[in-house]
Amino acid sequence: MKCRVCRGPAIIDVRRHNANFCVEHFIEQCERQVTKAIDAFSMIAPGERVLVAVSGGKDSLALWDLLHRLGHHAEGLYLGLGIGEYSDESGVYARDFAAARGLVLHEVDLRRDYGYDVPRAAAATRRVPCSACGLSKRHLFDEVARQGNFDVVATGHNLDDEAAVLFGNVLRWQTEYLARQMPVLPAGNGFPRKVKPLVRLSEREMAAYCIVTGIDYQVEECPMAAGNSHLGYKEALNSIEERSPGTKHDFYFGFLDRAAEAFREGLAQDAAALSSCRDCGAPTPSDRCAFCRLVERSGGRLPEHDGHDPATATGTPVILGRRERP
Ligand code: AMP
Ligand code: FES
Ligand code: ZN
Ligand code: ZN
């Protein structure tokens, strides 16, 4: 197996591109794919401040590493979700990564800062844990981005993730979700821009990237997600991809090119109807946001704030290696 670029010994085959790469040219290939995604979807403009949501897993740590290599100003945000040992461990990976590279990591801990955790929220809402977890993540990514004056929030969703979510949404024709399933959601109505710069790279490539660049990541998956339908969709797509390499890419990018536009109208209507949450000030379609309602139902508490700037309400992010900006 020879590297497509230098003909030296290859360490990975990327069947979807019908190409093999050595270490050096595989890293270059990952950088190129991220740059291509950023440029094609205008994800990050030069000089913008990026908040990378890092879980301690391979995708988000690889993303932080790649953005840093590509010269973007990228600080990390880790959320302690309180999912037993899984969360304790994931925080260690995120902190060690930041400390070893002198990067800034912000932290919010659901239990310390809001008096609840994901298992408690799941029990209180009687829904699957991922739903309370996802709601908390989305709210806190936005909140910390506002607080820290970040232009954009980047997450480590890769091609496998996006194709599986698209597959699930298409199977049930969830048109309102299809309208939002873009690698970029523009800023607006108090929300920062959201971007997914890894959409051109697969899960396997991200694991390989971490191995060849020496990134130590949490291999274990979230125990609360075990057996959920998202994992089933991933398995189904994996078996199709195995027989026809490139199917995931064509499915996802074909949707973006030829179908996504048709679902967009709903988005504009949603945005027009937003007001401010009476407790935390976050943009919401009702008078209290879903996050504040979740915290209350879970027996937690909102941090005290001065009543003017909702951003000061979140737990103070912990900064490693540098002082927080004023
Ligand atoms: P998941 O929802 O677990 O598939 O994760 C998707 C993306 O959300 C990851 O790639 C991260 O960017 C972000 N993320 C997940 N868990 C956390 C966490 N505990 N703290 C910060 N970001 C996270
Ligand atoms: Fe959110 Fe597992 S990480 S439920
Ligand atoms: Zn090579
Ligand atoms: Zn609120």
Side-chain angles (χ1 to χ4, degrees), residues 33 42 71 79 84 133 167 173-175 178 204 210 218 226 229 246 248 268 287 299 315:
Q33 295 302 328
S42 306
L79 305 181
C133 178
F167 190 41
W173 291 112
Q174 307 260 37
T175 49
L178 289 168
R204 175 171 167 268
C210 287
Q218 184 175 40
S229 36
K248 279 182 208 174
D287 89 316

Side-chain angles (χ1 to χ4, degrees), residues 52-55 59-60 63 77-81 86 90 137 141 154-157 161 230:
V52 187
V54 286
S55 63
D59 303 301
S60 49
L63 171 61
L77 166 62
Y78 170 75
L79 305 181
L81 303 169
Y86 167 76
S90 59
K137 283 180 191 158
F141 293 166
T155 52
H157 296 95
D161 294 322
H230 180 68

Side-chain angles (χ1 to χ4, degrees), residues 1 19 22 37 49 54 90 105 113 134 158 165 175 217 252 273 323:
M1 202 163 85
C22 68
R49 287 165 49 75
V54 286
S90 59
L105 179 68
D113 301 326
N158 57 39
V165 170
T175 49
Y217 64 90
Y252 179 64
R323 288 182 57 130

Side-chain angles (χ1 to χ4, degrees), residues 14-26:
V14 182
R15 288 176 63 202
R16 147 177 115 264
H17 293 303
N18 201 12
N20 308 318
F21 297 98
C22 68
V23 170
E24 181 192 339
H25 294 119
F26 176 61

Side-chain angles (χ1 to χ4, degrees), residues 139 277 279-282 288-289 291-292:
H139 177 88
C277 169
D279 289 341
C280 75
R288 279 183 94 205
C289 76
F291 177 76
C292 288

